[in-house]
């Protein structure tokens, strides 16, 4: 996608985002190349790169070895040390946290297994992790904010906060307002699949893709459709909750009250039940050990069935949405996802089969287990790094540290993306 700047005076924040986005996507780029890529005047680009350097978001480096007379040319790149943000991933029974810099490196990582039924308990645990991460040397310069990724749906519906693949026992996410007050940091939150999909857009395998479908394979199963680098939300913010799509007529009973839901066949919870370890405190380690041995008939039977469900799901998603690719990420071990994708071959015929494509039909996240943390950490900086007009036109976001710089105003609460 080519980004186009605009010459209207009121669009200054947008133009800054456009230039910052080009620098991020190119990795390293000269001022002349930026001018060509964004259709802004050389003077405007010079002003913006000067501003961004002054603020510390980008750094200029002389390009060694370039053949030119006089001074070697200067290239700009994101300053990884400009600041960091804290990503929190809440899953049933586990809180994971990471300190992530502006180029998507996870500098510090923490994880605790806790009972997530009690919001007070979760808040106390998250506060401890945030304090620990803020004390790390890497957090010295600036912490942009805290992003929290949680299993959806987060809006009150028939199927919210019900069953072991959700934050069972919760009724809302008001506790995140308390997190904001206690840390005095901006707090943003989102459904885990949305956060992880945005993380893939900024720093992952979907960096160059305008649209894709993201499948979040963790304790449960979620999905997000990304269009023009924005997550499609639907009428109430609950779009593409694919885990509860009926997949098997008369199939396994689901917590949502229906039967045969996709998540009952394609999730870590489903696998843990099949292996008889769903209540074990170290169930993830047990699952990985089983996968490595691969000699348990129950595991092999589960994988064969899960792969069939995946094969069908890929066909439905492709025929319905025609995405450039389907990215699979989430806390499921990469070994498991690779096995299922392999067993799902050959894929069904669909509108994505047989066409010349820029991406394969399925891509695996390179961050797999870390994709939720990275996605959560992206939430406070997503609008900084991604030029989206609708964000500039809507005052629906919490105030961020970058507010003055990029033209946002705040609402004083935890902000949902
Ligand atoms: Zn269901």
């Amino acid at each position: 996608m080519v980004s186009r700047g605009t010459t209207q005076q009121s669009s200054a924040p947008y133009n800054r985002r456009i230039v910052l986005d080009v620098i991020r996507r190119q990795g390293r780029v000269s001022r002349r190349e930026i001018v060509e890529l964004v259709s802004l005047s050389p003077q405007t680009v010079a002003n913006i790169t000067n501003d961004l350097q002054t603020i510390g978001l980008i750094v200029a480096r002389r390009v060694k070895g370039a053949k030119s007379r006089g001074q070697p040319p200067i290239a700009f790149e994101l300053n990884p040390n400009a600041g960091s943000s804290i990503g929190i991933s809440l899953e049933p029974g586990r809180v994971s946290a990471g300190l992530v810099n502006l180029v998507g490196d996870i500098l510090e990582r923490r994880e605790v297994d806790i009972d997530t039924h009690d919001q007070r308990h979760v808040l106390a645990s998250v506060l401890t992790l945030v304090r620990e991460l803020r004390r790390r040397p890497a957090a010295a310069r600036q912490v942009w904010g805290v992003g929290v990724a949680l299993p959806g749906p987060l809006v009150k519906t028939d199927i919210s906060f019900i069953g072991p693949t959700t934050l069972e026992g919760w009724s809302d996410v008001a506790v995140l307002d308390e997190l904001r007050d206690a840390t005095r940091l901006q707090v943003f939150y989102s459904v885990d699949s949305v956060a992880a999909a945005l993380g893939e857009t900024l720093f992952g395998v979907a960096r160059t893709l305008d649209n894709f479908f993201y499948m979040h394979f963790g304790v449960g199963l979620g999905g997000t459709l990304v269009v023009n680098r924005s997550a499609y939300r639907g009428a109430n913010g609950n779009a593409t909750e694919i885990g509860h799509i009926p997949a098997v007529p008369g199939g396994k009973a689901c917590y949502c009250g229906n039967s045969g839901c996709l998540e009952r066949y394609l999730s870590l919870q489903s696998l843990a039940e099949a292996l008889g370890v769903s209540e074990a405190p170290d169930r993830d380690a047990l699952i990985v050990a089983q996968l490595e041995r691969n000699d348990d008939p129950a595991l092999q039977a589960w994988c064969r069935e899960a792969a069939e469900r995946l094969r069908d799901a890929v066909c439905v998603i492709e025929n319905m949405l025609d995405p450039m690719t389907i990215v699979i990420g989430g806390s499921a071990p990469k070994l498991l996802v690779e096995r299922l994708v392999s067993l799902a071959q050959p894929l069904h015929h669909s509108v994505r089969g047989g066409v010349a494509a820029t991406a394969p039909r399925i891509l695996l996240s390179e961050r797999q287990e870390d994709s939720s943390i990275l996605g959560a950490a992206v939430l406070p900086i997503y609008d900084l790094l991604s030029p989206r007009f609708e964000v500039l036109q809507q005052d629906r976001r919490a105030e961020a540290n970058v507010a003055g710089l990029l033209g946002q105003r705040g609402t004083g609460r935890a902000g949902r993306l």
Side-chain angles (χ1 to χ4, degrees):
M1 188 164 81
V2 178
S3 300
R4 294 287 175 202
T6 165
T7 53
Q8 294 171 13
Q9 187 59 38
S10 61
S11 61
Y14 179 72
N15 285 342
R16 288 196 192 115
R17 279 196 176 93
I18 290 277
V19 170
L20 196 59
D21 184 53
V22 164
I23 294 169
R24 178 185 66 78
R25 295 221 269 172
Q26 299 292 318
R28 183 176 288 184
V29 62
S30 72
R31 194 171 281 152
R32 186 192 300 167
E33 289 167 320
I34 296 172
V35 169
E36 288 168 6
L37 286 165
V38 301
S39 300
L40 289 168
S41 74
Q43 188 56 51
T44 301
V45 169
N47 291 343
I48 290 174
T49 50
N50 286 343
D51 287 350
L52 294 174
Q53 266 188 285
T54 304
I55 298 156
L57 287 176
I58 63 171
V59 287
R61 301 195 195 286
R62 295 212 176 274
V63 180
K64 290 176 189 166
K67 289 181 182 171
S68 65
R69 292 179 191 167
Q71 291 273 17
I74 287 175
F76 297 101
E77 57 189 50
L78 283 189
N79 177 9
N81 304 316
S84 50
S85 81
I86 293 174
I88 306 283
S89 167
L90 297 182
E91 286 192 289
R94 178 173 302 160
V95 181
S96 315
L99 186 70
V100 178
N101 71 9
L102 204 55
V103 295
D105 301 322
I106 297 181
L107 307 170
E108 297 280 341
R109 198 184 192 290
R110 297 279 189 284
E111 193 169 289
V112 287
D113 291 337
I114 61 163
D115 178 0
T116 44
H117 287 78
D118 181 353
Q119 280 200 340
R120 316 307 316 167
H121 197 38
V122 172
L123 178 63
S125 177
V126 169
L127 282 173
T128 302
L129 293 174
V130 169
R131 280 193 202 105
E132 278 179 31
L133 290 175
R134 288 179 87 174
R135 280 203 292 267
R136 304 304 301 163
R141 177 148 183 168
Q142 179 163 26
V143 175
W144 300 109
V146 179
V148 183
L150 321 84
L154 301 178
V155 176
K156 187 73 186 145
T157 72
D158 280 355
I159 61 173
S160 304
F161 306 114
I162 293 172
T165 62
T166 69
L167 294 173
E168 211 171 7
W170 291 36
S171 58
D172 58 39
V173 293
V175 69
L176 298 180
D177 293 335
E178 294 181 50
L179 176 62
R180 181 183 189 278
D181 295 340
T183 60
R184 295 175 183 271
L185 287 169
Q186 304 303 322
V187 172
F188 301 85
Y189 66 93
S190 178
V191 175
D192 47 13
S193 64
V194 174
L198 297 180
E200 294 295 342
T201 303
L202 281 192
F203 301 122
V205 294
R207 275 189 301 272
T208 60
L209 302 179
D210 287 347
N211 73 72
F212 65 100
F213 190 88
Y214 176 77
M215 189 183 282
H216 196 66
F217 190 155
V219 177
L221 184 74
T224 290
L225 173 66
V226 173
V227 181
N228 291 333
R229 292 188 287 161
S230 294
Y232 172 71
R233 308 309 306 271
N236 298 303
N238 297 325
T240 55
E241 193 64 57
I242 59 167
H244 293 286
I245 287 177
V248 178
K252 295 183 198 171
C254 184
Y255 325 104
C256 72
N258 301 334
S259 64
C261 291
L262 186 58
E263 181 179 280
R264 299 298 292 122
Y265 302 85
L266 198 56
S267 66
L268 287 180
Q269 175 67 25
S270 164
L271 175 56
E273 287 174 20
L275 298 178
V277 299
S278 59
E279 301 300 324
D282 54 347
R283 72 178 204 177
D284 286 8
L286 291 171
I287 287 174
V288 169
Q290 286 261 34
L291 282 167
E292 285 170 349
R293 283 202 308 275
N294 197 25
D295 57 359
D296 181 349
L299 171 70
Q300 292 165 353
W302 183 89
C303 284
R304 278 195 300 276
E305 177 154 39
E308 272 308 305
R309 300 287 79 77
L310 174 64
R311 194 164 180 250
D312 290 349
V314 167
C315 184
V316 170
I317 292 165
E318 290 180 338
N319 280 339
M320 181 103 90
L321 304 168
D322 191 20
M324 292 174 81
T325 190
I326 296 174
V327 176
I328 306 180
S331 60
K334 193 162 191 178
L335 181 58
L336 173 62
V337 181
E338 283 173 343
R339 190 167 300 169
L340 296 183
V341 170
S342 170
L343 287 169
Q345 307 298 324
L347 295 173
H348 286 305
H349 299 293
S350 84
V351 296
R352 286 279 290 116
V355 296
T358 54
R361 290 169 70 176
I362 297 177
L363 272 176
L364 299 194
S365 166
E366 290 162 354
R367 316 297 289 251
Q368 209 73 32
E369 290 95 336
D370 284 336
S371 55
S372 283
I373 290 178
L374 179 69
V378 156
L379 299 177
I381 56 175
Y382 190 72
D383 285 344
L384 169 69
L385 293 181
S386 182
R388 294 185 299 150
F389 258 128
E390 69 270 32
V391 170
L392 297 170
Q393 291 165 344
Q394 294 177 24
D395 183 17
R396 62 179 177 81
R397 295 290 315 281
E399 182 183 346
N401 289 330
V402 293
L405 164 65
L406 294 174
Q408 291 170 232
R409 286 180 300 147
T411 59
R413 296 185 58 192
R416 178 178 179 170
L417 267 85

